[in-house]
């Protein structure tokens, strides 16, 4: 009897060339912490894509974190573009990431453009909030 082929790994929603478990899934599970602000941004996008509200709240700065986060089940986050990063490296405590996140709601497609602030809280990168008004296209 032939051995079944292994299941093909699901690509990570963040757009990096790795499977979800090897990329953002390890941050979502708590196995690892994102080492840079950009990787935290990518992992947060992936959390929106897979519906992981617990991770989104956990990776949000306590001073700006909402009490409850309800995701729209009809909204599908499909693609992330990193437009720019400033600081936010492995040995830094603050950084920013400018990105465009593409989504679909039914037949409508759109994008969210944001320049976000990140900081370390107890050694872990967290999302603080937008540095400028958020732009939906």
């Amino acid at each position: 009897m032939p051995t079944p082929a292994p299941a093909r790994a699901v690509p990570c929603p963040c757009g990096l060339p790795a499977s979800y478990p090897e990329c953002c899934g390890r941050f979502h599970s708590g196995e690892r912490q994102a080492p840079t602000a950009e990787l935290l941004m990518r992992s947060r996008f992936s959390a929106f894509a897979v519906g992981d509200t617990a991770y989104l709240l956990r990776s949000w700065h306590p001073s700006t974190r909402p009490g409850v986060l309800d995701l729209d089940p009809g909204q599908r986050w499909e693609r992330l573009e990193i437009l720019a990063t400033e600081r936010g490296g492995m040995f830094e405590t603050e950084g920013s990431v400018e990105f465009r996140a593409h989504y679909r709601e039914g037949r409508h497609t759109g994008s969210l453009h944001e320049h976000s602030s990140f900081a370390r809280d107890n050694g872990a990168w967290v999302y603080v909030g937008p540095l400028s008004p958020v732009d939906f296209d």
Side-chain angles (χ1 to χ4, degrees), residues 33-50:
Q33 288 185 353
T36 66
E38 180 180 329
L39 285 176
L40 181 73
M41 176 60 240
R42 288 180 177 280
S43 71
R44 286 180 55 82
F45 173 84
S46 290
F48 275 102
V50 301

Side-chain angles (χ1 to χ4, degrees), residues 6-125:
R8 188 162 177 238
V10 175
C12 193
C14 81
L16 290 177
S19 69
Y20 171 74
E22 294 171 340
C23 195
C24 294
R26 62 195 169 138
F27 304 137
H28 295 175
S29 71
E31 176 187 330
R32 301 251 339 253
Q33 288 185 353
T36 66
E38 180 180 329
L39 285 176
L40 181 73
M41 176 60 240
R42 288 180 177 280
S43 71
R44 286 180 55 82
F45 173 84
S46 290
F48 275 102
V50 301
D52 190 343
T53 56
Y55 179 78
L56 289 166
L57 290 169
R58 198 168 63 245
S59 63
W60 211 312
H61 195 278
S63 69
T64 57
R65 178 177 39 224
V68 176
L69 182 61
D70 293 320
L71 300 180
D72 181 349
Q75 192 172 51
R76 301 278 180 237
W77 293 96
E78 298 185 325
R79 185 169 55 92
L80 176 67
E81 292 176 81
I82 300 296
L83 304 174
T85 60
E86 186 176 329
R87 300 186 328 274
M90 292 177 66
F91 303 107
E92 296 176 294
T93 58
E94 294 181 341
S96 67
V97 179
E98 182 181 3
F99 67 92
R100 185 175 308 279
H102 299 268
Y103 64 90
R104 175 178 299 279
E105 285 185 86
R107 293 183 179 173
H108 172 76
T109 60
S111 66
L112 173 141
H113 178 218
E114 182 175 321
H115 189 189
S116 301
S117 173
F118 296 86
R120 288 203 190 256
D121 183 51
N122 294 317
W125 281 108

